[in-house]
Amino acid sequence: MTTRIAQFSFSFYRNRPIQCDFSGGQITSDAGLLPLRAFDQRHHLTRDWAAQLSDPRDEERVRHDSLELLRQRIYQIVAGYEDANDADRLRQDPTLQIVADQKLGEALSSQPTLSRWENAPSARDLVRLNDAWLDQFVRLCGEQVRQRGEILLDIDSTDDPTHGQQQFSFFNAAYGQHMYHPMLIFERYTGCLLAARLRAGNASSHARIVPMLLRLVPRLEAAFPGVKIKLRGDAGFALPLLYEFCEFFGIQYALGIPANVVFQRRAEPLQKRLARRYRRTRVPQRRFSSFRHRARSWPRQRRICYKAEHTAVGTNLRFVITNCSGRASEVFAFYNDRGECENRIEGAPVKPARSRWCKSTALKE
């Protein structure tokens, strides 16, 4: 940038020159990262994460260590620069240099360096990184969890659009795009991300969820003995193996389940009553109920709660499979609250660098 300096005379300062500098200097629009960096420093979050990642580079030729690269990438994402290509124009940003512990005025890493580093961690490194997240959750939120006496796991998958010829990028018809299909597990009350796994774009919604929970739940039970664990997920997780897993570990669950002919037949009497009442009153109708059902592949009956609505556009039926007690309306209220998990996913997108396979924040398939 060309520096322009002008000199003006003002009547109220006749004997003293005033210089105006229009170069802009070192400015930033992301100063809000500084308090986040202070929180990170206090609880040594990124330091612990970086310690779990191996670095195969030659130490004598390294200009940016793993901790600096990790902080640069994370804080770029936090500031809304989720594409690694943004690193090329942000490497001179003074705030990012400060939060990455780089000397002010010295450039951060470029996009190629950041992309190569993101692809370096092994699957074992990423498993250890997930374990570190859980250790930090126990350390930082343990007292809060014990006071509440409950852990609520929200499970969900999301779309991560891809660009170019990225490894394991496939077209997903449900989302209508080439993408990855990551799996995420959040704890509802604290908002903490407890586990993540990067999956191929054509993976089903429930793929690998039981192995993820099998690693997570026993560690939670060991850290918080006597604390109740609950789990929620949408109809993409209607998986008998998941029901059995929850029942084996004593987890209360509420999972969406697709409608079928049997479910619709069981709900038909209530549905017809609501339709008649709507025709008589022209007031939208909504009711909740439940029944017991055993599919051929199930070893026992399970409770199916359903919501029936009738409005001007017709009838709407929704079903949830659960082992929770209480009224069906209470089960649906518990289930519908899982939208908070989707809000967190929508509010914090993580996209890979173009033409590279980014796996630094999730386990590869």
Side-chain angles (χ1 to χ4, degrees), residues 157-174:
S157 61
T158 187
D159 62 314
D160 190 352
T162 55
H163 311 274
Q165 303 299 315
Q166 291 160 283
Q167 188 179 12
F168 292 118
S169 169
F170 292 102
F171 184 80
N172 189 304

Side-chain angles (χ1 to χ4, degrees), residues 207-231:
R208 309 302 297 174
I209 182 58
V210 173
M212 289 179 67
L213 290 170
L214 192 57
R215 186 173 184 86
L216 177 65
V217 169
R219 298 190 65 195
L220 289 174
E221 290 184 332
F224 303 107
V227 172
K228 186 184 304 182
I229 299 178
K230 297 182 179 181
L231 181 141

Side-chain angles (χ1 to χ4, degrees), residues 111-181:
Q111 180 270 328
T113 300
L114 206 56
S115 292
R116 285 192 297 268
W117 171 80
E118 283 189 328
N119 281 270
S122 66
R124 183 171 297 180
D125 292 337
L126 301 176
V127 170
R128 290 199 301 265
L129 186 60
N130 271 248
D131 291 344
W133 294 347
L134 186 56
D135 291 339
Q136 291 175 345
F137 169 74
V138 173
R139 174 166 53 87
L140 298 178
C141 304
E143 186 60 29
Q144 180 180 348
V145 170
R146 295 183 185 94
Q147 289 179 358
R148 183 179 296 107
E150 180 178 303
I151 295 173
L152 179 50
L153 303 179
D154 280 331
I155 58 178
D156 205 354
S157 61
T158 187
D159 62 314
D160 190 352
T162 55
H163 311 274
Q165 303 299 315
Q166 291 160 283
Q167 188 179 12
F168 292 118
S169 169
F170 292 102
F171 184 80
N172 189 304
Y175 291 94
Q177 61 186 355
H178 285 80
M179 54 178 274
Y180 295 133
H181 198 185

Side-chain angles (χ1 to χ4, degrees), residues 40-251:
D40 176 11
Q41 183 71 22
R42 178 180 178 183
H43 298 290
H44 45 85
L45 301 179
T46 53
R47 189 186 70 187
D48 289 352
W49 300 341
Q52 308 305 319
L53 303 175
S54 57
D55 191 346
R57 297 176 297 170
D58 185 351
E59 293 185 3
E60 296 182 356
R61 304 178 66 181
V62 169
R63 294 183 55 189
H64 307 281
D65 61 30
S66 290
L67 180 56
E68 177 191 324
L69 293 170
L70 178 66
R71 285 174 174 163
Q72 178 185 357
R73 185 69 172 114
I74 287 178
Y75 284 108
Q76 279 188 198
I77 294 172
V78 171
Y81 310 109
E82 66 270 13
D83 198 313
N85 287 340
D86 295 325
D88 285 338
R89 63 185 179 87
L90 293 170
R91 55 192 311 212
Q92 301 291 348
D93 186 278
T95 296
L96 283 172
Q97 291 173 354
I98 291 172
V99 298
D101 276 354
Q102 176 67 289
K103 184 179 295 185
L104 198 61
E106 293 189 5
L108 295 170
S109 71
S110 62
Q111 180 270 328
T113 300
L114 206 56
S115 292
R116 285 192 297 268
W117 171 80
E118 283 189 328
N119 281 270
S122 66
R124 183 171 297 180
D125 292 337
L126 301 176
V127 170
R128 290 199 301 265
L129 186 60
N130 271 248
D131 291 344
W133 294 347
L134 186 56
D135 291 339
Q136 291 175 345
F137 169 74
V138 173
R139 174 166 53 87
L140 298 178
C141 304
E143 186 60 29
Q144 180 180 348
V145 170
R146 295 183 185 94
Q147 289 179 358
R148 183 179 296 107
E150 180 178 303
I151 295 173
L152 179 50
L153 303 179
D154 280 331
I155 58 178
D156 205 354
S157 61
T158 187
D159 62 314
D160 190 352
T162 55
H163 311 274
Q165 303 299 315
Q166 291 160 283
Q167 188 179 12
F168 292 118
S169 169
F170 292 102
F171 184 80
N172 189 304
Y175 291 94
Q177 61 186 355
H178 285 80
M179 54 178 274
Y180 295 133
H181 198 185
M183 171 69 70
L184 306 169
I185 302 178
F186 288 90
E187 203 286 317
R188 166 65 175 88
Y189 300 114
T190 61
C192 292
L193 178 63
L194 301 186
R197 187 180 184 95
L198 184 65
R199 304 175 304 174
N202 59 354
S204 61
S205 294
H206 57 70
R208 309 302 297 174
I209 182 58
V210 173
M212 289 179 67
L213 290 170
L214 192 57
R215 186 173 184 86
L216 177 65
V217 169
R219 298 190 65 195
L220 289 174
E221 290 184 332
F224 303 107
V227 172
K228 186 184 304 182
I229 299 178
K230 297 182 179 181
L231 181 141
R232 302 180 298 195
D234 62 23
F237 298 95
L239 180 69
L241 182 61
L242 181 55
Y243 314 153
E244 295 174 12
F245 174 89
C246 292
E247 291 159 358
F248 178 83
F249 281 95
I251 299 173

Side-chain angles (χ1 to χ4, degrees), residues 235-302:
F237 298 95
L239 180 69
L241 182 61
L242 181 55
Y243 314 153
E244 295 174 12
F245 174 89
C246 292
E247 291 159 358
F248 178 83
F249 281 95
I251 299 173
Q252 293 185 11
Y253 64 89
L255 300 166
I257 188 169
N260 57 41
V261 174
V262 176
F263 292 176
Q264 292 172 340
R265 186 167 59 246
R266 296 293 296 270
E268 187 175 3
L270 178 58
Q271 177 185 343
K272 289 183 176 179
R273 289 201 302 272
L274 296 183
R276 290 195 299 267
R277 188 173 301 171
Y278 175 78
R279 288 194 297 268
R280 186 175 65 254
T281 65
R282 292 300 171 180
V283 176
Q285 302 294 316
R286 175 188 294 174
R287 292 293 183 274
F288 300 89
S289 189
S290 66
F291 56 85
R292 308 291 298 184
H293 174 73
R294 179 181 177 181
R296 292 181 180 179
S297 59
W298 298 356
R300 65 180 67 85
Q301 286 188 336
R302 293 187 170 102

